[in-house]
Amino acid sequence: MTAAAAKTALATPTAGAVPLRTAPLQTLRFRLILSVALVHVVLMGIFAAAAVREQADRIEQELLNRGHALISMTAVASTNALLTEDLGALAEIIQKVERQPDVAFCEISDSRGYILGTTTPDRLGKRRPPRVSHSDRFPLASGDPTLDLREDIRIAGQVVGTVTLGLSTYRMDSAMHKTWRDGIFFILLALVVGSFAAWALSLATTRKLRGMVEATAKIGKGDLDVQLPITSRDEIGMLAIAFNNMVASLRHASEEALREHRQRTQAERLACVGEMSASIAHEIRNPLSAVINSVNLLSGDALHGDERSQVISILNSESHRLNRILSDFLDFAKIRESQPARGNLAALIEEVAGMLRQDLPQEKNIRVAVACPPGARLAVFDHDHMRQVVWNLVLNAVQAMGDGGLLSLRTARRGDKIVVTVADTGCGIKPDFIKEMTKPFVTGRRDGTGLGLAIVQRILIQHRSQLSVSSELGIGSEISFELDSGG
Ligand SMILES: Nc1ncnc2c1ncn2[C@@H]1O[C@H](COP(=O)(O)OP(=O)(O)OP(=O)(O)O)[C@@H](O)[C@H]1O
Ligand SMILES: [Mg+2]
């Protein structure tokens, strides 16, 4: 078919539903747990950092106070020993200071800077360095493990000696590490407890939401009797109440729509009966007049020989035509409900093609080709009804081709559907006739009753399908429809 070809779908297709599935990392539960965990980590981190800082300040201050007290006491205790240069007494004082916690070293030097008492014996008698360290307050210089304090010993404003004291920060550092460890432990504990609490909370909430999703899915399938239990007075409870109210309104609207639909259908049916009766009356009027005329002519003595045989032949053919119109109409009127089941569509198409090949008169040069590829052989259909559908379509195609051409019957897979196509190289169909031709008694042929496509249409509606027509005048037509593949 070219782009100019007329293509018309004879009914509106139904839209596909989106499956109800959540991505694991996008669930409400996951997000809730993640946010609670993050908030916990950040808050506990800030809290732990503040606690460690406070603890550090306290320990530092305590060490500093202790250092100042100790150095002052040492200075007072060593004044006399310094004046008398009593090295034994100074050694005793040094030993006492050394026994104090955190003392790393202690030195007592005279006014000239010579060390007279020290915790490091090989420095005895040597000059003390001008300044051991500058770490006499916190924070200590980096890499310095001791807090170094120095105090001059004075008598009447005169410097008679100096005490230098080094306090180790080892105990303080370990205490701070312990505080950090405790902090991290509490952060992890809070993380676990918080995540568990968030999980439990989200479980309760998402369970209710899941109930709503399931209820909504049921509504989508047409069940309007769903009701959600009201188990709480929170926002979810309010949502459930609003949901139930909405379902009640929907139910009411649907009952109204059904009532209106029934009334409309009844009215349409009556209109249809009227239209059909008019069509039947119109269809049978011509052959009936011919029958009446023929009977009148035959009942007199006016006709003899060939004339009489000719009128009898007209009478015969017109009564047959009448009979065909009525039996086609009966077929149309009494189409039963389709009972679709999964079956071998390819076999059915082959069967129809076989019947057609047998029926085709020798003089007609029509080739019948069938193509049903694997994967497009099974479908869901009512066997007898579908044979009627395909048969009507191929008959129309053959009638459109006249003396010769190619008739092809194809199936193809399109997603979860099987597309059946009957294509011919016949006369084609006028674009504005395409929408009309499925109506009962609409025919483009002199001897047609116009019920073939009306029957096809009714059967396809029962299969939730529709005809799609693509045609080009003088080139040919393609008529197709879809069936569920059923797997
Ligand atoms: N493949 C086709 N090519 C050309 N015209 C077609 C084709 N199929 C249908 N038509 C047109 O649509 C009309 C209606 O077809 P339909 O089968 O309903 O009735 P019919 O064939 O005229 O009579 P019958 O009741 O015997 O089938 C046909 O008369 C014909 O004009
Ligand atoms: Mg037909």
Side-chain angles (χ1 to χ4, degrees), residues 403-418:
D403 288 340
L406 171 66
L407 167 66
S408 45
L409 290 157
R410 305 192 291 267
T411 59
R413 197 175 180 107
R414 189 188 291 155
D416 56 353
K417 301 279 182 190
I418 302 295

Side-chain angles (χ1 to χ4, degrees), residues 55-244:
Q55 173 88 334
D57 285 350
R58 202 177 50 74
I59 296 175
E60 282 170 5
Q61 195 55 48
E62 191 191 299
L63 195 69
L64 212 54
N65 292 346
R66 220 149 36 82
H68 283 301
L70 191 59
I71 202 167
S72 298
M73 270 164 40
T74 312
V76 171
S78 47
T79 310
N80 278 340
L82 258 180
L83 290 175
T84 55
E85 294 197 349
D86 184 348
L87 296 185
L90 285 175
E92 252 177 58
I93 292 169
I94 287 288
Q95 271 175 17
K96 279 185 190 159
V97 172
E98 201 177 11
R99 281 201 290 272
Q100 294 303 311
D102 301 325
V103 172
F105 64 88
C106 181
E107 285 176 358
I108 303 169
S109 50
D110 62 12
S111 55
R112 293 162 302 157
Y114 288 102
I115 298 170
L116 303 182
T118 174
T119 49
T120 322
D122 54 352
R123 287 173 56 81
L124 202 61
K126 293 189 178 146
R127 275 182 76 85
R128 66 172 160 76
R131 192 87 175 93
V132 180
S133 149
H134 291 286
S135 299
D136 57 357
R137 62 180 63 86
F138 289 103
L140 300 183
S142 79
D144 197 343
T146 55
L147 172 75
D148 302 335
L149 302 173
R150 178 171 287 189
E151 190 172 309
D152 289 334
I153 305 167
R154 292 171 194 271
I155 293 179
Q158 197 73 30
V159 176
V160 294
T162 304
V163 181
T164 307
L165 179 69
L167 289 179
S168 161
T169 56
Y170 174 78
R171 247 173 17 110
M172 187 186 87
D173 290 343
S174 350
M176 292 222 289
H177 282 135
K178 184 174 175 321
T179 312
W180 263 121
R181 268 200 310 276
D182 290 352
I184 288 171
F185 171 75
F186 280 113
I187 290 175
L188 291 178
L189 190 68
L191 190 69
V192 172
V193 172
S195 304
F196 180 75
W199 175 77
L201 183 76
S202 65
L203 196 67
T205 312
T206 51
R207 191 176 290 154
K208 289 178 191 170
L209 287 179
R210 195 165 284 276
M212 281 185 197
V213 171
E214 281 164 13
T216 315
K218 278 187 189 163
I219 292 175
K221 285 180 187 157
D223 179 1
L224 291 178
D225 292 324
V226 222
Q227 281 286 295
L228 288 175
I230 316 292
T231 50
S232 62
R233 283 271 152 199
D234 57 7
E235 285 84 347
I236 300 266
M238 293 301 107
L239 190 59
I241 293 174
F243 183 90
N244 288 346

Side-chain angles (χ1 to χ4, degrees), residues 340-479:
R342 193 153 197 250
N344 194 336
L345 182 66
L348 183 145
I349 289 176
E350 287 287 2
E351 181 191 335
V352 172
M355 275 158 53
L356 186 69
R357 284 187 193 110
Q358 274 189 352
D359 272 20
L360 279 175
Q362 286 291 325
E363 64 274 15
K364 286 207 175 200
N365 184 19
I366 292 179
R367 204 156 59 82
V368 181
V370 176
C372 300
R377 301 179 69 83
L378 301 178
V380 179
F381 59 93
D382 180 310
H383 189 273
D384 289 349
H385 277 175
M386 201 44 59
R387 193 171 43 198
Q388 219 174 336
V389 166
V390 181
W391 182 245
N392 271 311
L393 294 180
V394 297
L395 272 193
N396 282 349
V398 167
Q399 285 154 0
M401 282 192 290
D403 288 340
L406 171 66
L407 167 66
S408 45
L409 290 157
R410 305 192 291 267
T411 59
R413 197 175 180 107
R414 189 188 291 155
D416 56 353
K417 301 279 182 190
I418 302 295
V419 184
V420 182
T421 304
V422 177
D424 64 63
T425 54
C427 58
I429 312 164
K430 286 190 186 144
D432 48 358
F433 189 61
I434 290 179
K435 275 221 183 283
E436 296 298 311
M437 67 187 193
T438 51
K439 292 183 180 163
F441 298 113
V442 171
T443 177
R445 295 188 294 112
R446 225 180 52 77
D447 56 343
T449 52
L451 283 171
L453 289 182
I455 292 172
V456 166
Q457 180 85 330
R458 271 188 63 177
I459 292 176
L460 288 184
I461 286 173
Q462 298 197 49
H463 285 74
R464 295 169 183 275
S465 185
Q466 66 201 39
L467 277 184
S468 172
V469 182
S470 175
S471 181
E472 197 173 354
L473 284 176
I475 303 286
S477 311
E478 270 192 21
I479 303 192

